[in-house]
Amino acid sequence: MTYVAPVTSSASEQQRRQHAASFGAAAQEYRRGRPSYPRQAVDWLVPASATTVADLGAGTGKFTELLVAAGFDVIAVEPSEAMREQLTEVVPAAAVHDGTAENIPLADASVDAIVMAQAWHWVDPALGIPEIARVLRPGGTLGLIWNIRDSDEPWVAELDEILHHHSRQDLDTAPSLAAPFAHVERAEFRWVHTMGRQSLFDMIASRSYVIVLPDAERADLLRNVAELLDSHPDLADHDEIKLPYVTRCTRAVRA
Ligand SMILES: C[S@@+](CC[C@H](N)C(=O)[O-])C[C@H]1O[C@@H](n2cnc3c(N)ncnc32)[C@H](O)[C@@H]1O
């Protein structure tokens, strides 16, 4: 299985920032096409004893809504205005703030847990680690989570090949975390996301590396995906697409 992310490892800092800031341009596609996360992952990442939980890089609220459903008081922090607009509609129960992991608009030692879903790779750890540690209460938990398409499934491997033709990066989904974080643990959850054909296109269109492609190249990529859907025996003439995921989690305690 390969783990992929939206930026090439050789990308310049300027490119990384361009990709990190790109999501707002496809906020509706993101909301429609991106998968949620398995409930076991929420239970594993956030201690049941937590009361206030901050979701950094909350996007359109895919993980935020699971935190609210689990009964936590949730504060969502998200830098993109267009993503925050979707988030407010999707999860009205969450408090929503403009901010980043490097500049969190919350008081010192004010939350019991912090999560970042599919977003830690956009953070500068040298700035993000001390800032997250500032906002977490001592003994609080940092949880990181990524949904990774399971390319052990042959048609998913073919899809990834099409996507990687345009851009790829090996993503570190088991990052080391510097002090004051300790007791780092990992877990994986396998599950299947069932979606319609249009949702698959929305999922692809909401990848940062697809958002920033020139129009002609994006059209080319989507045409190649359509050809795969029309021709692959596991996909052609199927109303529903079953996309297997491995959800990879890291949790650590603020010492
Ligand atoms: C792939 S999306 C994940 C959204 C959501 N957490 C989810 O699971 O669907 C990444 C999000 O991180 C945000 N982001 C980019 N750079 C960030 C940073 N430095 N700190 C916090 N969030 C950031 C983007 O605006 C985007 O909404």
Side-chain angles (χ1 to χ4, degrees):
M1 184 188 309
T2 56
Y3 300 111
V4 294
V7 192
T8 62
S9 53
S10 61
S12 66
E13 178 58 17
Q14 194 184 356
Q15 265 181 317
R16 194 188 69 83
R17 288 187 186 176
Q18 183 203 11
H19 284 230
S22 69
F23 290 98
Q28 292 183 10
E29 288 86 348
Y30 197 107
R31 176 176 168 180
R32 290 196 302 260
R34 290 291 188 107
S36 182
Y37 299 88
R39 173 61 198 256
Q40 307 100 289
V42 182
D43 295 340
W44 188 87
L45 273 185
V46 185
S49 57
T51 302
T52 306
V53 181
D55 182 7
L56 309 182
T60 62
K62 298 276 172 193
F63 200 82
T64 322
E65 62 183 341
L66 300 177
L67 292 169
V68 168
F72 300 114
D73 294 337
V74 183
I75 304 165
V77 175
E78 164 57 44
S80 157
E81 186 179 359
M83 296 294 260
R84 286 198 306 275
E85 276 172 18
Q86 301 291 324
L87 172 57
T88 308
E89 274 182 32
V90 174
V91 204
V96 181
H97 296 279
D98 182 8
T100 64
E102 296 91 339
N103 190 8
I104 307 170
L106 300 176
D108 295 2
S110 58
V111 305
D112 304 309
I114 287 182
V115 294
M116 293 199 73
Q118 213 86 18
W120 174 252
H121 53 280
W122 299 121
V123 177
D124 176 351
L127 299 174
I129 290 276
E131 179 65 347
I132 289 170
R134 178 186 69 76
V135 171
L136 266 180
R137 293 195 180 107
T141 307
L142 171 61
L144 310 176
I145 180 168
W146 285 268
N147 274 329
I148 307 295
R149 290 185 299 279
D150 186 350
S151 56
D152 288 350
E153 172 72 36
W155 75 261
V156 177
E158 286 189 43
L159 175 66
D160 283 355
E161 185 124 353
I162 293 169
L163 301 181
H164 298 167
H165 179 70
H166 296 269
S167 181
R168 71 164 289 158
Q169 179 202 27
D170 293 323
L171 171 65
D172 183 5
T173 53
S176 55
L177 295 169
F181 289 95
H183 306 296
V184 178
E185 295 174 284
R186 322 278 184 193
E188 277 191 5
F189 302 91
R190 288 178 178 272
W191 64 291
V192 174
H193 179 47
T194 302
M195 61 170 97
R197 181 181 164 112
Q198 184 54 46
S199 294
L200 184 82
F201 281 104
D202 286 332
M203 182 272 284
I204 292 165
S206 72
R207 319 296 315 185
S208 63
Y209 60 89
V210 177
I211 297 169
V212 301
L213 283 178
D215 289 349
E217 202 177 340
R218 188 183 316 105
D220 212 29
L221 182 155
L222 294 174
R223 196 167 36 250
N224 291 339
V225 173
E227 282 166 11
L228 174 71
L229 293 186
D230 290 340
S231 62
H232 198 287
D234 293 343
L235 301 168
D237 302 325
H238 287 54
D239 291 337
E240 288 187 333
I241 297 167
K242 293 189 184 304
L243 178 47
Y245 277 99
V246 181
T247 297
R248 304 193 85 203
C249 303
T250 294
R251 72 181 175 201
V253 175
R254 188 215 185 285

